[in-house]
Amino acid sequence: MRKSDGKRRIIFDLLLIAALLLVSLSVCFIFNAVTEEGSVVRVYKGNRVVAEYPLSVDGEYYVGEGNIVRIENGKAYMASADCPDRWCMHQGKICDVGERVTCLPNRVMLEIVE
Amino acid sequence: MKTKKIVTLAAAVALSMVLSFLESLIPPLSTVPGVKLGLANTVTVFLLYTYGAREAGVVSLVRVLLSSLLFGSFVSLAYSLFGAVLSYAVMVFAKKFLPFSALGVSVLGALMHNAGQVLCACIIMESAALAVYFIPLAVSGIIAGIAVGVLAGVLTVRLSKIL
């Protein structure tokens, strides 16, 4: 392999990276531009909807036996979970249509709708 | 297999497990699940360019299994396995057939690793819509892939004399 081959490869790398960044950042941008605030949080257990709560009313609800979803100031989040990593509790508060919080071990998902 | 190689590969497994553990200590970078730096991939890319696809694959597999057994859960094993297998397959293909260097291969690997994890989440939650999570993960994957690729490249150059 000659040295010029190495340089040529790096140019390809940089082109690839530039193209990938361009595409993904554009998608990010467009995505942010079209999201809007929602009014209802839908709760899934597995792929079944088990409950829907309005974001306008503060409240705390059990999902199954291991998760607690809380609605506060128009946002919903996982207030408590008994899963091993509790990652769902670090996913933040959601309020835009399409935003989600998922607890994979317990197969619980919160989704903001309309 | 030469003793030297056995020892080196064992050290590689240990190293990638430590890297995997270290990055799990960093507080979550975003609300999106699976936003990891993918530091352990440094070892995979490095092995890919010093020894070859087989060694890189075996070490990767062993690391995923051991890490999940020790630090994770059954779910995290599924997650990691999906990501690692997809990432590995793409990297081997890219190294062999595409005109990229370790940097490009690493970026593709990191991207595919995140794609694999999102795919796994979609399957577990039976919701294709989870795929939107891939958008921010794509950006972080590219950046992580660059860092890992550069690091692996440097390691390859420096260590190939010893190995």
Side-chain angles (χ1 to χ4, degrees):
Chain A
M1 239 195 285
R2 282 168 297 174
K3 231 179 173 181
S4 58
D5 182 57
K7 279 194 191 142
R8 211 193 63 172
R9 283 176 175 269
I10 298 198
I11 292 178
F12 268 112
D13 291 339
L14 296 177
L15 284 176
L16 172 73
I17 292 172
L20 288 175
L21 277 177
L22 192 66
V23 170
S24 46
L25 285 174
S26 316
V27 173
C28 254
F29 196 67
I30 296 173
F31 202 69
N32 272 321
V34 301
T35 48
E36 37 185 60
E37 267 188 29
S39 56
V40 167
V41 57
R42 187 175 284 170
V43 182
Y44 291 82
K45 180 83 174 155
N47 61 347
R48 275 182 45 227
V49 179
V50 294
E52 279 185 9
Y53 306 110
L55 289 177
S56 49
V57 179
D58 284 5
E60 214 174 70
Y61 312 93
Y62 258 104
V63 183
E65 298 186 1
N67 299 77
I68 298 181
V69 54
R70 186 178 305 158
I71 301 180
E72 218 171 69
N73 300 325
K75 300 187 194 213
Y77 63 99
M78 196 72 77
S80 164
D82 63 355
C83 49
D85 54 4
R86 301 223 194 324
W87 170 244
C88 47
M89 292 172 59
H90 289 110
Q91 289 177 39
K93 310 186 180 186
I94 55 176
C95 58
D96 290 334
V97 175
E99 276 196 294
R100 291 184 171 86
V101 169
T102 38
C103 180
L104 285 184
N106 293 339
R107 303 183 77 213
V108 170
M109 183 168 78
L110 311 175
E111 181 187 6
I112 303 293
V113 176
E114 336 158 37
Chain B
M1 215 191 325
K2 292 191 312 190
T3 309
K4 188 177 183 184
K5 187 172 172 185
I6 297 176
V7 170
T8 309
L9 292 184
V13 170
L15 182 60
S16 57
M17 284 181 68
V18 169
L19 287 172
S20 188
F21 179 67
L22 278 181
E23 70 180 7
S24 73
L25 295 178
I26 302 176
L29 297 168
S30 123
T31 57
V32 178
V35 179
K36 332 184 291 182
L37 297 175
L39 294 176
N41 274 330
T42 316
V43 174
T44 310
V45 175
F46 167 72
L47 287 176
L48 194 58
Y49 278 87
T50 45
Y51 284 113
R54 220 169 27 158
E55 288 79 357
V58 169
V59 167
S60 208
L61 188 64
V62 171
R63 183 249 304 175
V64 164
L65 288 172
L66 286 179
S67 284
S68 303
L69 279 173
L70 289 177
F71 315 130
S73 57
F74 189 68
V75 174
S76 75
L77 173 62
Y79 238 163
S80 296
L81 211 50
F82 251 79
V85 167
L86 189 58
S87 159
Y88 173 72
V90 169
M91 283 201 286
V92 169
F93 177 83
K95 175 170 186 275
K96 200 161 185 195
F97 300 115
L98 300 178
F100 300 120
S101 75
L103 181 60
V105 167
S106 168
V107 168
L108 285 173
L111 210 57
M112 286 298 112
H113 190 97
N114 286 347
Q117 294 188 300
V118 170
L119 204 58
C120 186
C122 287
I123 292 175
I124 292 181
M125 288 304 302
E126 292 169 19
S127 156
L130 281 183
V132 293
Y133 273 133
F134 184 60
I135 300 169
L137 284 186
V139 178
S140 71
I142 294 169
I143 297 176
I146 294 173
V148 164
V150 168
L151 192 55
V154 168
L155 281 176
T156 309
V157 167
R158 303 258 170 182
L159 293 182
S160 55
K161 300 167 195 164
I162 311 176
L163 299 169

